[in-house]
Every structure is written in C-alpha cells, then in structure tokens.
Amino acid sequence: MSAESIETSLSSDSGRRPGSRRTGRYHILSVLVENKAGVLARVAGLFSRRGFNIASLAVAPTDDDERFSRITIVVDVESAPLEQVVRQLDKLINVVSISELAPSEAIERELLLATVSVGPEERSQVIQLIGVFGGEVVGVGSDQLSVTLSGRPEKIDDFEDLLKGYEVVGLQRTGRVALEKLGYRPARSLRALEGESR
Amino acid sequence: MQLTGAQALIKSLEQERVEVVFGLPGGAILPVYDPIIDSSIRHVLVRHEQGAGHMAEGYAIVTGRPGVAMVTSGPGATNIVTPLSNAFMDSTPLVVVSGQVATRSIGTDAFQECDITGVTIGITKHNWLVKDPADIPRTVAAAFHVATTGRPGPVLIDLPKDVANATMEWYWPESVEDLDLPGYNPVMGADPSLIEKAVELIDSAKRPVIYAGGGILKARACEALLALAERTQIPVVTTLMARGAFPDSHPLCLGMPGMHGNYTAVTAMQRSDLLIALGSRFDDRVTGKIDAFAPEARVVHVDIDAAELGKVRKPDVGVVGDCRVVIEEMLSCIDANAPKRSGAPVDLGPWWDELHGYQKRFPLYYDRDTTGPIKPEMVVESLRDLSPRDTVVVSGVGQHQMWASQYWTFDHPYTWVNSGGAGTMGFAVPAAVGAKVGRPDRTVWAIDGDGCFQMTAQELVTATAEGIPIKVAILNNAYLGMVRQWQEMFYEERYSEVYLSPDLPDYVKWAEAMGCVGLRAETQDEVIPVIEKANSIDDRPVVVDFRTDAFEKVYPMVPAGVSNDAIVVHPDQEGATR
C-alpha cells in the first residue's frame, strides 16, 4: 500500500482536524515580526483577549535578516472573521507584514515525533508503517520505539491516526510552517493539479 | 555629550516639547527625578499615581497634545494601569514612564518589581522595556510618534534603574526613519474610488444621518464636519466621545445617541437609510442590540483604524483614513459631482419634518417642580447658564455623567472631558486638574457624583498645592446612582450595596481640609447663589455639595441588550405619539 492511497482512504476523517486544510475553517497566516523580546506574548495575547482561536503556531527567525522572525499561525475563522484577525494583528507595532497563504498557493510542512510501546510483533509493523510514510525510526528500546515523520500536515494527520492502533507513550507535533509556492501562478489549470507537488 | 540615561530621558521629553509631567517619585524612578530639578518641564506632584494618569488624560483631551505621567516601579506602575486602560479605550495619547528594578534583578521578584510591560500589553498601543541607555532618545521619540499618530493611544516606557544611571552619548533622532518602527505605517488619505462610492451613497440617501464619533476630535476635523453637514444638510448625532465636535446649538445637530441619548438622535439612527459613521466605532452603548440596530441603513464607515471597519457592523463602504482628510476629500468629490448629476438632489425635507416631529414630541425632559428637592438636571442647566460658554466640563461615570452630557450645551470642541469606553469612576477630579493645567485660561467645572468623588478626591490636595483652581460640583444623591437606577428598573427595587449617605463624609469639611473652598446647596433656591459664589472664586479650588433628588433617573433609556426601538422615555412623556 502506498502512502498516497492511505491518504485517500483516510481523507474523510482528517477533515475535522484543526490542522487540516480540507475544510474552510482554518486559514494560514504568515506573519513577519520584529525579532524583539515579548513579540510572541503580544501576538498570543491579542488572540486570547479578542477571543480568536489558534489551531497551531510556529515561530522561528527568518534566515535572511536577523531583525525579523516569522510566525506561522493557523487561525480558526469560526471564532472571528479572518479580516478582523488580520487587521487587529496588523495594529501590533512589532508586526511588519502579514500574508494569508491559501492552501493551493503554499508549501506546508509539519514534523511529528512519537514514541510507542511495542511488543516484538508490533515493532516490525510500526517500522514498516513509518517506512511506507517515508519517516524514520530515531530510537529503539526493548519495548519502545521512537519515530519521526515530516511532511504535509494531512500526511501527518493520517500517520497519527494509524499510530492510534498502538499504545502511544508520547506524541508531539510542531504545528505547520508554510511558504508561498515557488513561481505560483493563480491559474485555474494549475489549481486543478493541486497536490502534484506532494 | 555624555549624559546619564535619566538625563537623556528628561532631555528627550524636552525635545518633544513636553510642558508638564504628572507624577510621583519612588525608588526605581529616583535617578530620573534628579534632573527634573534642572529642567524647564513643570512637574505636578500627585497624591496617587492613578491621579497622574487621569491628569495626563485631561491635559491631552483639552490640548490635543500627549499627556505625560511618571511613576515608580511595582505599585506605582500598577496604580496607573486604570488610566492606561481608560486612555486605550478612548484613544487618548499618553506617554507613561515607569521606573523598573535594575536589569540584573528583573525576574527575581525583587522589591517593588512588577512586569508592567507584560501587564499593560493589552491596554497600551505599544510599550517598551529599555535595556540600553543608548536606546532612550530613540525610544522616547518612537513613543511620542506612536502615541500621537494614526489612532492615538497610550504608550508606556519602562526604565530600569541601572539603565537610568548608566551613561550614553547624546543624540536625537532626526526623522521617523530613525525610530526603528518597520511595522508602523499609519495611513492618512483614502482610496479615491472609495470616496466616490461613499459620495454616491450620500447623494442618493433619503434619510441620512452623520454619526460623528471621537475620531472627529482626534483628527481635528470639526470644521470639516461642519462644512460637510452644511453642504449636504444631513443631520448630525454626536456620540458621548464627540460632544462638542459639532455645535449643539446648530440646527443640524440632533445631540447624543445611545443608551441615554435623546429620543430624536436614537430614533433618527434607527430610521436612517444611510449612516455616515465618521470616527465612531458602533459601541454597544450606541447600537443597543446590534442585530436590531438601524436595520434599513446602509453604512459608510470612515476610521483611521482599519480594524474598526466591520468589527461590529459591516460597512457598505469602508474607508480607512484620517477623518479630516477623508471629509475634505468627500467635500471636493461632492462639489465635483454636483454639475454632472442628472436630476434634482434628493429632497431631505420629509426626513427633517419627521425629525422635527420627534424633537417636538420627545425633547429632553425632567420634572421642573420647584417645590421638591434639587433636581440634578437643574444643577447642570444652572451651571451651564452661569458659566462662560467655553467652560471645560469634566465628568466621572454614572448618572451625573449622562446628565452633564445631556443638559450642557456643547458649542466648542475640546470642552468635554469624560471617561467613555472604560467607564472609570473617579475620573473627574484628576482629569479636571489636568484639563486646567492644559487650559489655565478656561473655567473648568468637574460635574461629579458622590460615589466617584470619593474615589479620587485626594487630588484636590494636588490642585491646592499646585495652584490649579478647578471647580467641582458634586451631584450628591447619597447613592451609587446609576447602579441604583438599574436595581430599581431591572432588579425589582431590590437595592443592594448602593447607599452611601449624604453626610458621610462631610464634603464641605473635606474640601476645606484639602485647602479648597467648600460650599453646599440643600434647596433649589440655594443653587444659583452657590454657583455664582463658586464662579467668583479663582484663587483656590472650589467644591460644591449639591444635595440632589435620590430618586431621579436618567431618561431616555435603552435597557442593555434590547433594540433601540424599545427606548424608554420619561414617564410624563409616555402618552405622546411615537
């Protein structure tokens, strides 16, 4: 079974997930901020005091200019209209620019780390599974196994669902990061091919 | 030139042409208080840091210049949190400087340490913790720039003691580009195509209303608003934050809308087919139940804060820009379009006939029976009639605030100072002190409640000590009156914790103890003489204790959460046809 077909078979489930792009409920904002103390508190505080919900949030310095960091926020637009979220964010003095990344125009990636309790039989199953998904085994103990997988958030969703068949000791996801697709042209024909870059 | 951080801070304030700082020293801010002795800046020593904040607000509101306050770390800083929140809600430009424990002690729970930048993130436009003395001039310049441009608001600079003591090489940033604010670019002018669309709606409306908010005053747009109204003959309502932005005496003025607005202003908005919202924000006190607010109205919304457009009510045309600039562009567009327009302009005659009918049937009303206790409305009317036309009126929050807004005639901008969005009781006395410092040539009357007065009255000591002769009219009904009114109307007259007593404290003695003249009026015939006496005193603060009718309620009233159509008028007016 290929990773692609696993995804297809699970796609109806994962639509409910916070990280999923299969519903219109979640939007990705890529927010360029000044790399200053307290910036994350300002952004997070704004979301909490205005009652906006965050599905995930990832922060890291940009590599082109040490003055700036990029915060990738997946926003639940059921809690507030996206326009209001963007305009309130834009009022923060340390926020330099905000772009909304439509899923079809963005490359998105997320990373998962998981440790599962496994007996001898299950161990080979999990090793096979992570292999099918293109992830890695990063630790093996007598009755436990740690794996890592990176990729599109939907792929991570699907893998996480499959892992639930085992005893998961610990699981951590990073939340997604995203960038605009290279040379993206908003033409209809290209949109029809969405997913080809997987 | 080598300066200490403290010297650089004071010199930076001088560069910003600060005339006065309201404050109170303490441990962490000690270094900064030393160079104040040698500075041209006046320092007003308050008795509580909350007073410093409200004074700075009063000063800012009447002068249009940023108010400056200075406090120490910990409790000094937390005591000014309420004024920061108040200024944030009412978009008042403030620059607050707080002392902080030394950088090496930050995070150790040191004596009088408080993470005040963390505390005030949500109630300042921005704040800064300065860790390097070389950053001080740039930070001060950035603070004033942020506080006064775009949508104005309060900012805070937190200055650790060791940074104030360290030395730096003096400089002053030459331009905005030097302020290191890559994410801050407030807009002024608007997209011409939006102006065109707005004007199309204005030209075709049959029942338009200009809904003028505090942004008119912030943008210094009163003349532009007057020109727009007169050019179009569209009625104007002025919100609580915009009282004075358009003259109450003008025939196009409908007065204040909202929960305690007059019947005509409230109903005009409800019946309108076009609301032209200029620097106003569809506050719940104005809209009542939002789903039922102005159901037939299209909306043109002009605001310098893009986040206000669509926050509460989705506009048909939303224009981001400075109110003065946008109104002037609208006027040019109206003039340019006039010759091109086919057919006659819309006749607003029927709309005005309807509005005049409301004004005639439902004027502001109270029972003028001359035999009973003093009516608070009568005190406000008498103060208005016996004081100069350009008197600055300051109020606290509650019934007295509504009566002051309703019964004063505001014909001049920047003569009304109140706490609108935050509803901060105790605002009046310190804000009046700040207003008088900013406008020493004007008569300043604080119209206060007995509940409010007790919260911040100690600042009258400041007023006496500093020679700031404000006047305070306490509408003393012995109750937390607005709460009492709600308990009477909505809690079956079950009065819970609202009685204060008319005599405890003795306001006259208290005033005298604070170096003021204390006066009292207990009957209606004492009202005018006591006001005349108060107005004749100009060398000291005056406090007048008006013993008013405890049963008087503020009318009209739209109960919270219901439609503005359900406006409750004074019982004596209930028979009139709506």
Side-chain angles (χ1 to χ4, degrees), chain B residues 400-425:
Chain B
H400 68 275
Q401 175 191 27
M402 293 297 109
W403 287 317
S405 176
Q406 290 176 333
Y407 287 92
W408 198 274
T409 305
F410 293 99
D411 279 341
H412 300 274
Y414 313 109
T415 56
W416 170 237
V417 179
N418 92 128
S419 165
T424 305
M425 285 180 67

Side-chain angles (χ1 to χ4, degrees), chain A residues 3-4 7-8 21-22 102-109 152-155 181 184 187-198:
Chain A
E4 203 64 34
E7 286 185 16
T8 310
R21 69 189 192 192
R22 288 175 185 134
S104 57
E105 300 162 22
I107 324 161
E108 304 164 52
R109 289 294 179 270
R152 290 180 307 100
E154 293 77 7
K155 176 171 148 184
K181 266 185 198 166
Y184 172 75
R188 210 165 270 283
S189 59
L190 273 178
R191 282 199 182 154
L193 296 176
E194 183 207 331
E196 288 303 301
S197 63
R198 283 172 185 179

Side-chain angles (χ1 to χ4, degrees), chain B residues 479-546:
Chain B
Y479 276 97
L480 297 168
M482 188 59 93
V483 185
R484 186 199 171 283
Q485 175 168 343
W486 284 54
Q487 290 178 348
E488 181 182 331
M489 296 174 76
F490 310 120
Y491 289 85
E492 297 157 347
E493 298 181 47
R494 285 162 56 85
Y495 298 113
S496 177
E497 303 298 326
V498 286
Y499 180 68
L500 295 176
S501 162
D503 308 303
L504 182 66
D506 181 324
Y507 293 101
V508 171
K509 283 187 185 164
W510 193 8
E512 286 168 353
M514 293 187 287
C516 310
V517 175
L519 303 170
R520 179 172 289 139
E522 293 182 274
T523 59
Q524 290 198 23
D525 54 6
E526 290 171 356
V527 169
I528 286 172
V530 88
I531 293 172
E532 283 171 340
K533 174 105 190 274
N535 275 339
S536 72
I537 297 166
D538 204 31
D539 60 341
R540 273 175 295 170
V542 186
V543 176
V544 189
D545 173 15
F546 292 97

